[in-house]
Amino acid sequence: MKAMIVAAGLATLSALASAAPMQAPGQPPVLTDIRWDILPPDGKRGDEPRLRVRSEASSSDFALDGSRPEMAGALRALGEGKGPVAFRIAHAAGRLDCDGRLTRRYEGKGDCRFTGDPGFEGQLAARGLAPDGPRDLLAMLMVDATLALADGLTDAGLRPEDSDDLIAAAALKISPAYVRELRGGALKLESIDDVIACRALGVDGAYVRELADAGYADLDAEDIVGMKALGVTGDYARRMNAAAGAKR
Protein backbone atom coordinates (compact mmCIF):
# COMPACT_ATOMS: atom_id res chain seq x y z
CA MET A 1 0.00 0.00 0.00
CA LYS A 2 2.78 2.42 0.93
CA ALA A 3 4.55 1.88 -2.38
CA MET A 4 1.43 2.85 -4.32
CA ILE A 5 0.70 5.93 -2.22
CA VAL A 6 4.26 7.22 -2.22
CA ALA A 7 4.71 6.58 -5.94
CA ALA A 8 1.52 8.49 -6.72
CA GLY A 9 1.91 11.43 -4.37
CA LEU A 10 5.61 11.82 -3.58
CA ALA A 11 7.43 10.79 -6.75
CA THR A 12 8.91 14.24 -7.24
CA LEU A 13 10.83 13.92 -3.98
CA SER A 14 12.52 10.59 -4.73
CA ALA A 15 14.39 11.93 -7.77
CA LEU A 16 15.10 15.54 -6.91
CA ALA A 17 18.62 15.21 -8.22
CA SER A 18 20.41 13.12 -10.79
CA ALA A 19 22.86 10.44 -9.70
CA ALA A 20 25.29 11.97 -7.24
CA PRO A 21 28.98 12.23 -8.10
CA MET A 22 31.33 9.98 -6.16
CA GLN A 23 32.33 11.54 -2.85
CA ALA A 24 35.70 11.23 -1.18
CA PRO A 25 35.55 9.21 2.07
CA GLY A 26 34.66 11.41 5.03
CA GLN A 27 33.47 14.31 2.90
CA PRO A 28 29.93 15.71 3.12
CA PRO A 29 27.58 14.40 0.40
CA VAL A 30 27.08 16.98 -2.37
CA LEU A 31 24.63 17.45 -5.23
CA THR A 32 25.00 19.96 -8.05
CA ASP A 33 23.07 20.66 -11.25
CA ILE A 34 20.06 21.84 -9.26
CA ARG A 35 18.02 24.79 -10.51
CA TRP A 36 15.54 27.15 -8.94
CA ASP A 37 12.84 29.48 -10.15
CA ILE A 38 9.74 31.20 -8.79
CA LEU A 39 6.17 30.02 -9.28
CA PRO A 40 3.47 32.74 -9.20
CA PRO A 41 0.72 32.63 -6.55
CA ASP A 42 -1.77 29.81 -7.01
CA GLY A 43 -5.27 30.42 -5.70
CA LYS A 44 -5.65 26.72 -4.95
CA ARG A 45 -2.62 26.74 -2.63
CA GLY A 46 -2.51 30.29 -1.40
CA ASP A 47 -1.60 33.81 -2.36
CA GLU A 48 2.15 33.49 -1.85
CA PRO A 49 4.71 32.83 -4.58
CA ARG A 50 6.57 29.53 -4.34
CA LEU A 51 10.25 28.71 -4.73
CA ARG A 52 10.65 25.71 -7.03
CA VAL A 53 13.78 23.55 -6.82
CA ARG A 54 14.30 21.06 -9.63
CA SER A 55 16.76 18.67 -11.19
CA GLU A 56 16.10 17.31 -14.65
CA ALA A 57 12.40 16.28 -14.81
CA SER A 58 11.78 16.31 -11.04
CA SER A 59 10.79 19.23 -8.85
CA SER A 60 9.42 20.30 -5.50
CA ASP A 61 8.59 23.70 -4.11
CA PHE A 62 8.42 25.84 -0.96
CA ALA A 63 5.67 28.33 -0.13
CA LEU A 64 7.23 31.73 0.48
CA ASP A 65 4.82 32.39 3.35
CA GLY A 66 7.17 32.63 6.33
CA SER A 67 5.99 29.30 7.79
CA ARG A 68 9.48 27.75 7.84
CA PRO A 69 12.16 29.71 9.72
CA GLU A 70 14.99 28.32 7.57
CA MET A 71 13.40 30.05 4.56
CA ALA A 72 13.72 33.53 6.08
CA GLY A 73 16.92 34.41 4.18
CA ALA A 74 15.50 33.22 0.87
CA LEU A 75 12.28 35.12 1.51
CA ARG A 76 14.19 38.35 2.10
CA ALA A 77 16.55 37.90 -0.85
CA LEU A 78 13.86 36.94 -3.34
CA GLY A 79 11.72 39.86 -2.24
CA GLU A 80 14.33 42.34 -3.45
CA GLY A 81 14.20 44.06 -6.82
CA LYS A 82 15.88 43.29 -10.14
CA GLY A 83 19.49 42.11 -10.07
CA PRO A 84 21.81 39.34 -8.86
CA VAL A 85 20.59 37.31 -5.89
CA ALA A 86 22.05 34.70 -3.54
CA PHE A 87 20.47 32.84 -0.65
CA ARG A 88 20.95 29.79 1.55
CA ILE A 89 18.42 27.36 3.02
CA ALA A 90 19.97 25.67 6.07
CA HIS A 91 18.31 22.60 7.57
CA ALA A 92 19.43 19.77 9.84
CA ALA A 93 19.70 17.56 6.73
CA GLY A 94 22.09 19.97 5.01
CA ARG A 95 22.22 23.29 3.23
CA LEU A 96 21.11 24.49 -0.18
CA ASP A 97 23.24 27.34 -1.54
CA CYS A 98 21.64 29.16 -4.46
CA ASP A 99 22.40 32.13 -6.68
CA GLY A 100 20.95 33.64 -9.83
CA ARG A 101 19.17 36.73 -11.03
CA LEU A 102 15.84 38.40 -10.35
CA THR A 103 14.02 40.12 -13.18
CA ARG A 104 11.78 41.69 -10.55
CA ARG A 105 10.53 40.92 -7.03
CA TYR A 106 9.74 37.19 -6.68
CA GLU A 107 10.57 36.54 -10.32
CA GLY A 108 13.85 34.97 -11.36
CA LYS A 109 15.91 31.82 -11.66
CA GLY A 110 19.35 30.36 -10.97
CA ASP A 111 21.35 27.37 -9.75
CA CYS A 112 21.87 25.60 -6.43
CA ARG A 113 24.33 23.28 -4.73
CA PHE A 114 23.25 20.97 -1.91
CA THR A 115 25.66 19.85 0.81
CA GLY A 116 24.38 17.18 3.17
CA ASP A 117 25.14 17.16 6.89
CA PRO A 118 27.19 14.06 7.88
CA GLY A 119 26.15 14.42 11.54
CA PHE A 120 22.45 14.30 10.67
CA GLU A 121 23.12 11.39 8.33
CA GLY A 122 24.87 9.54 11.15
CA GLN A 123 22.03 10.16 13.60
CA LEU A 124 19.55 8.80 11.07
CA ALA A 125 21.72 5.72 10.58
CA ALA A 126 21.82 5.17 14.35
CA ARG A 127 18.01 4.99 14.23
CA GLY A 128 18.02 2.52 11.35
CA LEU A 129 17.00 5.25 8.89
CA ALA A 130 20.22 5.67 6.90
CA PRO A 131 19.49 7.86 3.87
CA ASP A 132 20.24 6.52 0.42
CA GLY A 133 22.77 9.23 -0.37
CA PRO A 134 22.39 12.99 -0.85
CA ARG A 135 19.15 12.66 -2.81
CA ASP A 136 17.37 11.48 0.33
CA LEU A 137 18.96 14.25 2.40
CA LEU A 138 17.84 16.88 -0.08
CA ALA A 139 14.31 15.45 -0.02
CA MET A 140 14.41 15.69 3.80
CA LEU A 141 15.34 19.36 3.57
CA MET A 142 12.50 19.96 1.13
CA VAL A 143 9.80 18.31 3.27
CA ASP A 144 11.30 19.27 6.66
CA ALA A 145 11.94 15.70 7.84
CA THR A 146 13.53 15.82 11.30
CA LEU A 147 14.92 13.57 13.99
CA ALA A 148 12.16 14.86 16.29
CA LEU A 149 9.55 13.52 13.87
CA ALA A 150 11.31 10.15 13.63
CA ASP A 151 11.52 9.90 17.42
CA GLY A 152 7.95 11.08 17.94
CA LEU A 153 6.53 8.47 15.59
CA THR A 154 8.68 5.80 17.23
CA ASP A 155 7.41 6.83 20.67
CA ALA A 156 3.87 6.59 19.30
CA GLY A 157 4.57 2.96 18.40
CA LEU A 158 4.90 3.49 14.64
CA ARG A 159 8.61 3.52 13.97
CA PRO A 160 9.61 4.51 10.42
CA GLU A 161 11.27 1.51 8.80
CA ASP A 162 13.56 3.43 6.46
CA SER A 163 14.36 6.92 5.19
CA ASP A 164 11.54 6.73 2.63
CA ASP A 165 9.04 6.31 5.48
CA LEU A 166 10.37 9.42 7.20
CA ILE A 167 10.29 11.45 3.97
CA ALA A 168 6.73 10.33 3.25
CA ALA A 169 5.58 11.12 6.80
CA ALA A 170 7.09 14.61 6.67
CA ALA A 171 5.75 15.33 3.17
CA LEU A 172 2.23 14.34 4.25
CA LYS A 173 2.47 16.35 7.49
CA ILE A 174 2.02 13.23 9.64
CA SER A 175 2.66 13.86 13.32
CA PRO A 176 2.34 11.91 16.58
CA ALA A 177 -0.78 14.00 17.25
CA TYR A 178 -2.32 12.71 14.01
CA VAL A 179 -1.53 9.13 15.08
CA ARG A 180 -3.28 9.76 18.41
CA GLU A 181 -6.25 11.27 16.57
CA LEU A 182 -6.70 8.15 14.45
CA ARG A 183 -6.36 5.86 17.44
CA GLY A 184 -8.83 8.02 19.35
CA GLY A 185 -11.34 7.08 16.70
CA ALA A 186 -10.70 3.39 17.52
CA LEU A 187 -8.68 2.69 14.38
CA LYS A 188 -6.19 -0.17 14.60
CA LEU A 189 -2.78 0.90 13.28
CA GLU A 190 -0.18 -1.80 12.70
CA SER A 191 2.62 0.14 11.00
CA ILE A 192 3.71 3.51 9.66
CA ASP A 193 2.43 2.33 6.27
CA ASP A 194 -1.11 2.41 7.68
CA VAL A 195 -0.76 6.03 8.76
CA ILE A 196 0.81 7.09 5.44
CA ALA A 197 -2.08 5.54 3.54
CA CYS A 198 -4.68 7.16 5.81
CA ARG A 199 -3.12 10.61 5.50
CA ALA A 200 -2.73 10.33 1.73
CA LEU A 201 -6.45 9.54 1.38
CA GLY A 202 -7.57 12.25 3.80
CA VAL A 203 -8.70 9.94 6.60
CA ASP A 204 -8.98 11.70 9.97
CA GLY A 205 -10.33 10.86 13.40
CA ALA A 206 -13.75 12.29 12.60
CA TYR A 207 -14.12 9.96 9.62
CA VAL A 208 -13.12 6.93 11.70
CA ARG A 209 -15.66 7.87 14.38
CA GLU A 210 -18.33 8.47 11.73
CA LEU A 211 -17.95 4.91 10.45
CA ALA A 212 -17.82 3.53 14.00
CA ASP A 213 -21.11 5.27 14.81
CA ALA A 214 -22.61 3.64 11.72
CA GLY A 215 -21.71 0.21 13.08
CA TYR A 216 -18.20 -0.25 11.70
CA ALA A 217 -16.10 0.01 14.84
CA ASP A 218 -13.69 -2.83 14.21
CA LEU A 219 -12.04 -1.79 10.94
CA ASP A 220 -8.33 -1.81 10.23
CA ALA A 221 -6.48 0.83 8.21
CA GLU A 222 -6.83 -1.05 4.93
CA ASP A 223 -10.62 -1.24 5.38
CA ILE A 224 -10.86 2.45 6.26
CA VAL A 225 -8.68 3.54 3.34
CA GLY A 226 -10.68 1.40 0.93
CA MET A 227 -13.97 2.88 2.13
CA LYS A 228 -12.60 6.42 1.94
CA ALA A 229 -11.31 5.84 -1.59
CA LEU A 230 -14.79 4.67 -2.64
CA GLY A 231 -16.46 7.70 -1.07
CA VAL A 232 -18.27 5.75 1.65
CA THR A 233 -19.65 8.00 4.39
CA GLY A 234 -21.26 7.18 7.69
CA ASP A 235 -24.66 8.19 6.31
CA TYR A 236 -24.22 5.95 3.27
CA ALA A 237 -23.19 3.04 5.52
CA ARG A 238 -26.28 3.50 7.70
CA ARG A 239 -28.57 3.57 4.65
CA MET A 240 -26.99 0.43 3.26
CA ASN A 241 -27.42 -1.29 6.63
CA ALA A 242 -31.07 -0.24 6.74
CA ALA A 243 -31.66 -1.48 3.19
CA ALA A 244 -30.03 -4.81 3.98
CA GLY A 245 -32.15 -5.18 7.12
CA ALA A 246 -35.35 -4.41 5.20
CA LYS A 247 -34.65 -7.27 2.79
CA ARG A 248 -34.45 -9.83 5.57
Side-chain angles (χ1 to χ4, degrees):
M1 182 183 296
K2 180 189 71 177
M4 177 183 69
I5 296 299
V6 173
L10 304 174
T12 57
L13 296 172
S14 64
L16 270 167
S18 57
M22 294 296 291
Q23 304 296 325
Q27 294 299 309
V30 172
L31 285 173
T32 57
D33 193 27
I34 304 170
R35 293 166 297 282
W36 67 267
D37 63 357
I38 303 292
L39 298 173
D42 181 344
K44 295 179 181 179
R45 292 183 173 184
D47 295 326
E48 302 85 11
R50 304 180 73 87
L51 172 65
R52 178 170 59 183
V53 177
R54 48 195 179 89
S55 177
E56 294 187 348
S58 300
S59 68
S60 190
D61 56 274
F62 299 92
L64 296 175
D65 59 4
S67 61
R68 291 183 59 176
E70 66 268 28
M71 288 293 298
L75 183 61
R76 286 193 301 271
L78 295 170
E80 297 294 336
K82 178 180 179 180
V85 64
F87 57 91
R88 170 179 290 180
I89 301 171
H91 185 268
R95 70 176 190 270
L96 193 64
D97 293 291
C98 305
D99 58 28
R101 178 169 289 274
L102 294 173
T103 54
R104 62 179 180 178
R105 188 171 185 259
Y106 296 130
E107 186 174 292
K109 59 183 178 180
D111 301 300
C112 299
R113 172 187 175 94
F114 174 72
T115 305
D117 187 295
F120 181 79
E121 189 174 15
Q123 290 183 77
L124 287 172
R127 291 164 169 79
L129 303 174
D132 187 18
R135 286 173 295 181
D136 276 2
L137 291 171
L138 176 57
M140 289 179 184
L141 178 149
M142 297 296 291
V143 300
D144 194 22
T146 64
L147 296 172
L149 175 59
D151 292 343
L153 292 173
T154 298
D155 291 343
L158 295 174
R159 177 184 175 276
E161 295 297 324
D162 53 33
S163 60
D164 285 345
D165 281 345
L166 181 59
I167 291 168
L172 291 169
K173 302 294 188 285
I174 292 171
S175 66
Y178 176 68
V179 174
R180 291 192 294 271
E181 177 187 345
L182 293 180
R183 284 181 169 154
L187 177 61
K188 294 180 291 185
L189 299 171
E190 301 295 334
S191 71
I192 189 68
D193 292 4
D194 290 343
V195 185
I196 289 171
C198 286
R199 189 65 153 181
L201 268 293
V203 173
D204 59 15
Y207 182 71
V208 176
R209 290 189 294 273
E210 182 182 337
L211 292 180
D213 291 344
Y216 296 89
D218 194 32
L219 299 177
D220 60 24
E222 187 171 357
D223 294 329
I224 290 282
V225 167
M227 295 176 79
K228 182 70 171 180
L230 292 172
V232 175
T233 64
D235 181 63
Y236 177 84
R238 281 189 289 271
R239 285 189 283 111
M240 292 299 99
N241 291 342
K247 292 179 179 180
R248 295 195 183 110

